[in-house]
């Protein structure tokens, strides 16, 4: 066979020829910017030429600090075409982490949305490697204290719209994302061209997410998070319409876009989907969601009650996926296979509550503390280990590599059981388990049960220090609109008490206005643990 | 990313874990042998152990001379797992070609179906490299003059059902097929592990063939032809049920299998689909084809009338694919994309009459004699050139490599036009064009028009020598059952005369009982050209 490398620029080359008229729709306030793959291709070429003009070459890191917009999408293709590395910076990081990752990555250029400029302006003196800032706007009157700042549209207007991709090997880096760490600074993951291409070829398969030419794809996952779950690349591979939700999207924006653009596939974390359902309930508005073939939820486990609510209230299939920054990121997808057709409705629902089967192309193990394999019986829990062509083999320039990548396996730190059919049921992160009297209590199991209460919007269970038992569980609960001020501790505990051994039951329930979230929308239990570390448990 | 090679044995490893109970159904006369992917995995392991016991090692060629059966399928997985090369030998080759390719490949072992043993017995003394023949049967009383012959089931019963695949690089060979040549002996194409895996990842995508776990796949394409179009491998990748049609399948067998096994996807050459329709018409039997989501026709162009007949008479979607041995083999697939929704019914039908769009992952050019690109306007014709990770870069040990693989492009020898949407319309092979007075006449265009006549079953147009014009077209026509003896030359020519310039019109029409076919079921125009080389054309 030909020695033909798998490279990111091939996606757009195909889309520009076979789907030149398909649209990229990018929300701008209440209206939208629309153009085609043909336009995207030309503008990505212009961006490559412009970056080359600023001295960016093979191997250089191109940072982006931006929302989901068409200009950000242009960078997704422009940097890899040059053999440069697209570093998507999480805009919600603490300033110390921002400085750390930009310096650690050695970003040469940063493309930044105008409304985010105030975040980086005060940090600029600490950014050692950045030679240019490019403001993602056509507003020539925009001013900033950022040094060596350029107007994006000015740069693009000055160069040719033709560009020949730089020759690179398929194992060379195309992207870079940082993931938050349990302790210490974020850790960087390098995405190779090969990894991204194979991941996209997988995600377009029928039994995984099944991206297709006829899709209108709305990623709610930010483009600065875990490669945007590969959505920009897989969409281009198949020539799907892309809808980008712009600056500061909220549930209303998402509902409007699904309705008006006839979105068929949308992807985001559970928090988003809880928010969307809540918005529809509060606003009483009647959005048309009939175009959706499915919505994808990933990043953390979803309660079955949410899946049921989407089906019942909106007739929408909510499908769970599982993955992580280290895996480009898709590991598993919950496409129901033929073996489940004969299951009872209850068992099917249990199945929908899992994170699905590992996608083709990877290998997986479930192991105990001593690295022994644990049976896939749907019951016993262990840590998930993965191997495959789109799984990282290291953290970028980071000694923590050796804690996580061992003997050729990526140790995910996720505790799970696996059903005999191979369906993954994620429990807690190792660090989120509550250790009581030498035994483990799963915070996720308790949360999932509590969220099933009709008066509960969200719940987080944390372990707080306890003199006798070492840790005991505390439930932090957000009541929904109708139940605020009415729901009490006894309601919550009564609702779940038949499902757990008595020593699993939370010692107390506190009602709070909202669950603090991390920069990528997951529940931030670190904050809760800190807040309640001296909480007196009722006995 | 991890340095993780793409290897054929990974397909079966996943299927044995995630789809262990899915079935492989292998026709045996009027009944069927049934077992599961779990069984297949164990027996493929046994075969690897047995072959190793016979001295087969990394790089050795394992020949198969067999129908579509479960034992043949076991070889598809056993040989690549050992780092050996599966050489599927076309059972319909002339004896001289058989001797040539077996010696040229250097097959160390040949697995052979009992009913095909008489073909190889007289040739055995000429086969220089073959050390063992393995008879694919459980009949211990079967006798043969083949030297060093073993009983397949005996061999398997003596060894373990566990086997650890040999470590190989992804670019190492896994398969070998020979393709017929215009002149001279067949040419060999080596399939790498990487090429096969990438081809399967492509074929499982929604917009290509879309293999899925819920499919029941019946390849009618023989397992000795062009890697069986990758069906055994892609089916295992997704865990689809496989139906194998056994010894000497005929249209009735195919109809029965589709009906009884509830086949969802079946793949074969146009001749097969013409035969199936003809059988249904003649027999008057009422088969249930409602399980079929689509049937795939490839190998040569299909007349629109056949697509219409399948839709009208059976409510079955016949989809065209295009490919060749040198391409593992899929190049294009006719999945209708969203851009065509607004087309008229007539234009949609024209589209269905093409071979579809190039699948993602390849590159393609349309060029004239001097290697200049020709516009994709749906009108101008040129030769198709391809490049990509599952396209061969050479013929195996063959000086003819340099005629076909030039400057990194595979020159297909197929003449085609490409529509502005990128849809390929195959015309003739270069050698099948009729050269009249220095101008080219397309035999395929004439055939397609003639087959549209309701009284015609098949048609082949060939160029025969002509003193003044060099060549002139002769139409060889097979009338269908109802029209035999009634159809005449004038009927045929009148039917097509409005569609062609007068100098394109065949000078004569001959009625024959059947069109001679090549070993892979394509029309064999060489035979017709020889038969009619002295035919006297009507004025």
């Amino acid at each position: 066979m030909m020695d033909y490398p798998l490279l990111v620029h091939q996606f757009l080359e195909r889309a520009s020829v076979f789907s030149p008229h398909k649209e990229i729709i990018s929300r701008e306030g209440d209206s939208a910017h629309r153009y085609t793959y043909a336009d995207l291709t030309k503008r990505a070429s212009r961006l490559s030429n412009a970056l080359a003009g600023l001295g960016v070459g093979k191997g250089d890191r191109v940072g982006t600090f931006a929302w989901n917009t068409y200009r950000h999408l242009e960078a997704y293709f422009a940097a890899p075409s040059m053999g440069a590395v697209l570093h998507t910076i999480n805009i919600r990081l603490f300033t110390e982490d921002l400085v750390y990752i930009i310096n650690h990555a050695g970003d040469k250029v940063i493309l930044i949305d105008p409304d985010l400029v105030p975040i980086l302006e005060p940090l600029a003196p600490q950014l050692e490697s950045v030679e240019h800032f490019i403001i993602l706007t056509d507003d020539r009157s925009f001013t900033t204290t950022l040094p060596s700042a350029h107007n994006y549209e000015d740069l693009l207007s000055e160069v040719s719209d033709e560009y020949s991709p730089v020759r690179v090997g398929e194992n060379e880096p195309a992207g870079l994302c940082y993931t938050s760490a349990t302790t210490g600074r974020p850790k960087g993951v390098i995405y190779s061209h090969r990894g991204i291409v194979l991941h996209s070829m997988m995600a377009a398969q029928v039994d995984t997410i099944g991206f297709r030419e006829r899709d209108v794809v709305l990623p709610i996952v930010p483009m600065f998070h875990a490669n945007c779950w590969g959505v920009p690349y897989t969409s281009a591979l198949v020539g799907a319409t892309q809808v980008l939700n712009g600056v500061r999207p909220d549930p209303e924006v998402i509902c409007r876009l699904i309705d008006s653009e006839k979105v068929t596939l949308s992807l985001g974390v559970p928090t988003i989907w809880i928010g969307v359902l809540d918005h529809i309930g509060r606003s009483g508005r009647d959005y048309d969601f009939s175009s959706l073939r499915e919505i994808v939820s990933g990043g953390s486990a979803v309660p079955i009650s949410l899946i049921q609510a989407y089906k019942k209230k909106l007739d929408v299939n909510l499908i769970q996926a599982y993955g992580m920054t280290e895996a480009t990121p898709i590991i598993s997808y919950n496409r129901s296979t033929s073996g489940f057709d004969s299951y009872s409705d209850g068992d099917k629902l249990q199945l929908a509550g899992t994170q699905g089967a590992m996608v083709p192309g990877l290998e997986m193990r479930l192991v105990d503390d001593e690295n022994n394999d644990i049976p896939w019986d749907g019951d016993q829990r262990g840590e998930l280990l993965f191997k495959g062509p789109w799984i990282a083999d290291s953290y970028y320039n980071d000694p923590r590599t050796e804690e996580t990548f061992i003997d050729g396996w990526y140790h995910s730190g996720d505790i799970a059981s696996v059903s005999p059919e191979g369906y993954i049921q994620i429990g807690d992160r190792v660090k989120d388990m509550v250790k009581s009297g030498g035994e483990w209590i799963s915070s996720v199991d308790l949360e999932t049960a509590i969220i099933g209460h009709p008066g509960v919007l969200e719940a987080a269970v944390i372990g707080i220090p306890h003199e006798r038992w070492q840790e005991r569980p505390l439930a932090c609960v957000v009541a929904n609109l109708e139940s605020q001020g009415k729901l009490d501790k006894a309601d919550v505990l009564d609702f779940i008490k038949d499902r757990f051994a008595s020593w699993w039951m939370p010692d107390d329930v506190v009602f709070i206005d909202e669950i603090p979230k991390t920069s990528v929308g997951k529940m931030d239990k670190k904050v809760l643990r800190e807040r309640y570390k001296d909480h007196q448990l009722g006995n």
Side-chain angles (χ1 to χ4, degrees), chain A residues 457-458 476-479 511-517 528 531:
Chain A
L457 183 65
E458 284 185 287
C476 308
V477 172
V478 181
F511 291 90
I512 56 180
D513 290 339
E514 63 176 335
I515 308 278
K517 300 289 181 340
L528 289 174
R531 189 189 299 171

Side-chain angles (χ1 to χ4, degrees), chain A residues 240-402:
Chain A
T241 302
Q242 300 193 42
V243 182
L244 304 172
N245 59 19
V247 174
R248 295 178 206 287
D250 60 21
E252 184 183 342
V253 161
I254 292 162
C255 290
R256 275 200 291 110
L257 287 174
I258 292 172
D259 180 315
S260 65
E261 301 301 336
K262 303 196 192 317
V263 168
T264 63
L265 176 68
S266 186
L267 310 92
V269 294
T271 318
I272 294 291
W273 299 122
I274 291 169
V276 162
L277 205 62
D278 188 55
H279 163 72
I280 293 173
R282 283 170 192 262
S283 69
R285 276 187 222 142
D286 192 20
Y287 297 101
D288 182 359
F289 276 22
S290 62
S291 55
L292 283 170
R293 65 174 175 83
E294 61 203 40
I295 60 176
V296 181
S297 182
S300 44
V302 164
I304 288 176
S305 57
L306 189 70
I307 298 171
Q308 288 175 304
Y310 264 91
K311 191 68 195 172
K312 195 170 154 196
K313 295 184 186 167
L314 301 170
D315 194 25
V316 167
N317 295 316
L318 185 156
I319 312 268
Q320 292 201 66
Y322 164 64
M324 65 282 295
T325 303
E326 291 86 343
T328 315
I330 308 289
I331 287 280
S332 73
Y333 199 72
N334 197 330
R335 179 78 59 213
S336 174
T337 52
S338 59
F340 293 98
D341 290 351
S342 59
Y343 283 35
S344 70
D345 285 352
D347 286 346
K348 282 182 189 163
L349 199 58
Q350 285 301 319
L351 169 74
T354 73
Q355 282 69 52
M358 185 190 74
V359 296
L362 302 179
E363 286 182 53
M364 147 177 146
R365 290 178 66 202
L366 184 71
V367 300
D368 66 16
D369 289 351
E370 283 154 1
N371 209 28
N372 302 307
D373 283 281
I374 289 176
W376 295 10
D377 60 7
D379 186 35
Q380 295 180 68
R381 296 185 178 205
E383 185 182 6
L384 288 170
L385 274 49
F386 297 102
K387 189 184 264 195
W390 56 86
I391 309 284
D393 64 354
S394 62
Y395 293 117
Y396 176 62
N397 268 351
D398 199 313
R400 288 170 292 182
T401 289
E402 63 188 34

Side-chain angles (χ1 to χ4, degrees), chain A residues 18-19 73 104 189 204 215 235 289 328 410 458 500 515:
Chain A
F18 288 91
S19 308
L73 188 65
H104 186 265
V189 175
D215 267 335
S235 298
F289 276 22
T328 315
Y410 161 60
E458 284 185 287
F500 299 101
I515 308 278

Side-chain angles (χ1 to χ4, degrees), chain A residues 48 60 142 146 203 310 365 369 480 490 530:
Chain A
S48 294
D60 285 338
F142 185 88
L146 287 172
Y310 264 91
R365 290 178 66 202
D369 289 351
N480 64 20
E530 179 60 26

Side-chain angles (χ1 to χ4, degrees), chain A residues 228-244:
Chain A
C228 197
W229 298 2
V231 174
Y233 294 131
T234 312
S235 298
L237 169 77
V238 301
T241 302
Q242 300 193 42
V243 182
L244 304 172

Side-chain angles (χ1 to χ4, degrees), chain A residues 71-199:
Chain A
R71 293 190 181 101
H72 201 171
L73 188 65
E74 289 159 10
Y76 258 69
F77 291 98
S81 294
M82 309 173 68
V85 183
L86 180 81
H87 172 208
T88 51
I89 305 165
N90 185 335
I91 63 174
R92 301 210 180 93
L93 289 179
F94 293 113
T95 53
E96 296 80 8
D97 283 342
L98 283 175
V99 172
Y100 170 80
I101 71 166
I102 293 168
N103 287 335
H104 186 265
D107 293 331
K108 192 164 189 175
V109 173
I110 290 179
L111 287 72
I112 181 168
D113 269 332
D115 73 312
L116 302 174
V117 163
I119 300 175
L120 287 200
E121 276 178 338
L123 309 180
Q126 300 172 64
L127 305 179
E128 299 155 5
S129 57
V130 181
E131 297 176 11
H132 301 276
F133 291 90
I134 301 175
I135 317 297
L136 296 165
T137 181
D138 58 358
D139 177 5
R140 271 76 174 181
S141 67
F142 185 88
T143 57
T144 172
T145 63
L146 287 172
S148 190
H150 306 263
N151 178 288
Y152 185 83
E153 295 298 335
D154 275 349
L155 285 181
L156 263 58
S157 67
E158 289 159 7
V159 291
S160 160
D161 63 7
E162 297 202 1
Y163 180 81
S164 294
V166 169
R167 280 184 75 90
V168 294
E170 66 181 27
N171 292 308
E172 293 191 60
L176 171 59
C177 285
Y178 283 75
T179 180
S180 59
T182 314
T183 54
R185 296 296 179 198
K187 298 174 284 190
V189 175
I190 291 274
Y191 300 112
S192 67
H193 285 265
R194 172 184 165 99
I196 290 171
V197 172
L198 292 174
H199 182 271

